[in-house]
Amino acid sequence: MKIISIHKNDSELVTLAASNNRKAQQALYEKFSPRMLSVCRRYFSNIHEAEDAMIKSFLKVFINLKNYENTGSFEGWIKRIVVNECIDQLRKSKIETTEFPDYFVEQSYLDIDNTYELEQIQYYIDKLPTGCKMVFNLYVVEGYKHQEISEMLHISIGTSKSQLSYARNQLTQALSNLNVKENETA
Amino acid sequence: MKQHNDSHIKKIFEEHEVLPSKMAWNKLSDLLDRQLPLESDNQLFFVSKKAKNYKSILDIAAVFLFAFGLVFWTLKTDEKNTTNLVVNSPNENKFNTQIPLESETDFYLEDIIKKTPSNNLVEKKLKSEIVHNNTLEVKIPIINQEVDVLTNDSVLIRTIPKAQKQIHIAWEPVKNKEIEIDTRNLIRSVERELIQDRAAEQLDKSKDRFEQIKFAIINRNYEE
């Protein structure tokens, strides 16, 4: 299954995959799928749903590969497609976004230690409402601005900010409680 | 602090990788098969279509060439194998060889061999001797099929040296004719006849003896 070693670099693979060479497509898939599945996993608490979203994303990647201009990071291009696919999937499941008052936004920040493991953080992110989770991921992990997020999710900038604020507070609270419990156990 | 924590989370998530299941690629491959025809398939199809055209033309040409070559070769081979047969034997009818007398006709060697009795022997002998000799002289014994015995008559086949590439076949009557007979049968029949003759002789003798005794008794009675 290790086909990657045959090919020298991504641009060669991309060229081949764009001409619908299945082995090149597989090589690209094997190279980028673990990271892309991790992206999907942030949006879907269920790994199977995450994998489905990733597969559909890669399908879109290969279908649209001819339109890819070799400017910028190829991984970044794939990631945008993956994120958009995840959002589309979640939107299809009719997510509910809750508006929060603006004052809530001003107070929010993620006040956690850097010692927390990914699994612990992921656990509490999974518990967030879907809208909050999306905004949090898009803003904190993917690095989008509120303007972009509002356009992507078809929500107002204020809603994006309030969702983020809510998510941060929830996470801070949950992780603080976890810290307290760990100290008590110790 | 807030920015610091964001970057920490971003860092640990960006470095994180989740391996997809082994079936994931198969699913994707199936979807790709449905959505996009394979490049290699396309190329193969394209190439195979062209190749098929060329191939069919080449095939036809090859078949024609082969057929032409075969016919040409057969004709050449026929010319080589044609023999000039001279039959001199006056005994040809006797042995039913079906070769006309005193005529010089072209015959195929194979035909002659077939027409001649004991085909296998002749063929083998011919093959072995033709290999070694430019000039070949083979005497082929002939079996008289009616009587089913070997005769001393034979077909003499002479090959003329390679340059002429002809096989000269002539009948040579053999002077001392000897007919082989199945002696067992003969002896049996002779024995049978002898036995019959002996039986007849015995019977005759017995009859004579009987007559003698009869007359003797009659004479003694008469004397008494």
Side-chain angles (χ1 to χ4, degrees):
Chain A
M1 292 292 282
K2 286 281 176 188
I3 306 163
I4 299 165
S5 57
I6 299 166
H7 304 285
K8 285 171 186 170
N9 52 47
D10 286 353
S11 62
E12 272 182 45
L13 276 177
V14 169
T15 312
L16 284 166
S19 61
N20 211 13
N21 183 304
R22 191 65 87 242
K23 284 184 179 177
Q25 287 171 344
Q26 190 177 358
L28 283 174
Y29 167 83
E30 285 181 359
K31 186 175 183 181
F32 293 109
S33 61
R35 262 172 275 172
M36 295 308 133
L37 185 56
S38 173
V39 172
C40 294
R41 175 66 186 84
R42 290 201 289 270
Y43 292 87
F44 296 92
S45 48
N46 185 327
I47 187 68
H48 300 295
E49 286 177 351
E51 198 172 85
D52 282 347
M54 183 205 66
I55 289 168
K56 285 174 185 170
S57 305
F58 268 99
L59 183 66
K60 282 185 179 175
V61 164
F62 292 133
I63 288 170
N64 295 298
L65 206 54
K66 284 174 185 173
N67 303 326
Y68 170 68
E69 295 163 4
N70 264 317
T71 51
S73 158
F74 180 66
E75 188 179 344
W77 184 74
I78 296 177
K79 195 189 257 185
R80 275 199 297 279
I81 292 172
V82 170
V83 168
N84 285 330
E85 180 61 28
C86 290
I87 291 166
D88 282 349
Q89 292 291 315
L90 289 168
R91 197 180 284 146
K92 278 176 193 170
S93 62
K94 292 181 182 172
I95 54 162
E96 285 182 9
T97 52
T98 316
E99 289 278 353
F100 296 99
D102 284 348
Y103 69 88
F104 198 74
V105 176
E106 296 302 321
Q107 290 174 358
S108 72
Y109 59 92
L110 192 62
D111 186 15
I112 57 168
D113 291 337
N114 290 345
T115 53
Y116 290 111
E117 297 291 323
L118 182 132
E119 285 77 19
Q120 291 170 318
I121 298 168
Q122 183 67 62
Y123 176 77
Y124 289 108
I125 288 173
D126 287 342
K127 286 193 167 183
L128 288 171
T130 314
C132 287
K133 187 162 59 180
M134 283 204 295
V135 173
F136 180 83
N137 279 328
L138 289 169
Y139 188 88
V140 175
V141 185
E142 318 300 349
Y144 288 100
K145 305 294 176 197
H146 283 298
Q147 176 69 38
E148 293 169 309
I149 294 167
S150 67
E151 287 167 7
M152 286 165 82
L153 300 178
H154 306 295
I155 55 171
S156 67
I157 294 172
T159 307
S160 173
K161 284 179 180 175
S162 62
Q163 298 277 341
L164 178 67
S165 175
Y166 181 75
R168 275 183 174 150
N169 276 318
Q170 289 291 309
L171 278 175
T172 306
Q173 202 176 334
L175 290 168
S176 302
N177 290 340
L178 180 72
N179 201 16
V180 171
K181 279 180 189 173
E182 278 178 355
N183 288 336
E184 283 174 0
T185 313
Chain B
M1 181 70 180
K2 185 173 75 177
Q3 195 63 39
H4 181 75
N5 284 327
D6 278 0
S7 59
H8 167 69
I9 288 177
K10 188 178 180 178
K11 194 184 170 189
I12 57 170
F13 271 113
E14 277 186 341
E15 286 170 357
H16 186 234
E17 289 186 351
V18 182
L19 277 174
S21 68
K22 287 178 182 176
M23 292 300 292
W25 166 250
N26 294 337
K27 281 183 191 172
L28 178 60
S29 185
D30 288 344
L31 287 170
L32 284 168
D33 286 341
R34 278 181 230 157
Q35 297 277 335
L36 305 165
L38 278 173
E39 175 213 26
S40 52
D41 286 354
N42 283 342
Q43 281 183 352
L44 275 176
F45 182 67
F46 186 67
V47 170
S48 64
K49 247 190 159 179
K50 273 193 165 180
K52 204 179 178 182
N53 290 335
Y54 282 123
K55 211 180 175 185
S56 60
I57 293 164
L58 283 171
D59 283 348
I60 292 162
V63 168
F64 271 110
L65 276 171
F66 178 74
F68 180 76
L70 191 69
V71 169
F72 185 75
W73 179 79
T74 312
L75 287 170
K76 278 276 181 189
T77 315
D78 287 349
E79 277 177 24
K80 283 178 187 175
N81 282 345
T82 304
T83 54
N84 202 4
L85 187 73
V86 182
V87 179
N88 295 322
S89 172
N91 302 321
E92 102 290 341
N93 285 332
K94 197 174 177 180
F95 301 106
N96 195 23
T97 52
Q98 297 176 354
I99 301 169
L101 269 175
E102 297 294 331
S103 64
E104 194 164 321
T105 326
D106 285 346
F107 284 94
Y108 294 125
L109 184 61
E110 290 166 1
D111 286 347
I112 295 162
I113 292 164
K114 279 175 189 171
K115 283 171 188 173
T116 315
S118 65
N119 291 339
N120 292 335
L121 281 171
V122 174
E123 278 176 17
K124 281 176 189 173
K125 200 167 183 181
L126 276 175
K127 278 177 190 170
S128 62
E129 298 206 19
I130 283 169
V131 172
H132 299 296
N133 303 321
N134 284 338
T135 306
L136 174 73
E137 197 170 282
V138 186
K139 275 190 180 180
I140 305 162
I142 294 174
I143 294 172
N144 188 341
Q145 289 173 337
E146 289 171 7
V147 190
D148 203 15
V149 289
L150 276 168
T151 70
N152 270 359
D153 280 347
S154 61
V155 177
L156 185 68
I157 300 173
R158 286 200 195 93
T159 58
I160 296 163
K162 272 184 181 176
Q164 294 180 28
K165 291 185 177 176
Q166 280 180 327
I167 295 175
H168 212 76
I169 299 180
W171 282 104
E172 268 201 356
V174 180
K175 289 171 186 174
N176 300 324
K177 271 207 261 183
E178 287 179 8
I179 296 173
E180 285 188 12
I181 297 165
D182 187 350
T183 50
R184 283 184 183 175
N185 282 336
L186 190 63
I187 290 164
R188 275 179 205 153
S189 59
V190 169
E191 279 176 349
R192 220 176 289 137
E193 282 175 13
L194 282 171
I195 290 163
Q196 283 172 359
D197 288 347
R198 201 173 291 168
E201 272 178 29
Q202 287 291 325
L203 190 65
D204 288 341
K205 279 180 183 176
S206 302
K207 274 182 182 176
D208 291 341
R209 185 72 182 154
F210 177 73
E211 288 295 323
Q212 283 173 4
I213 292 165
K214 189 181 159 184
F215 283 117
I217 291 167
I218 291 166
N219 289 334
R220 193 172 65 183
N221 291 339
Y222 183 72
E223 282 171 6
E224 284 175 357

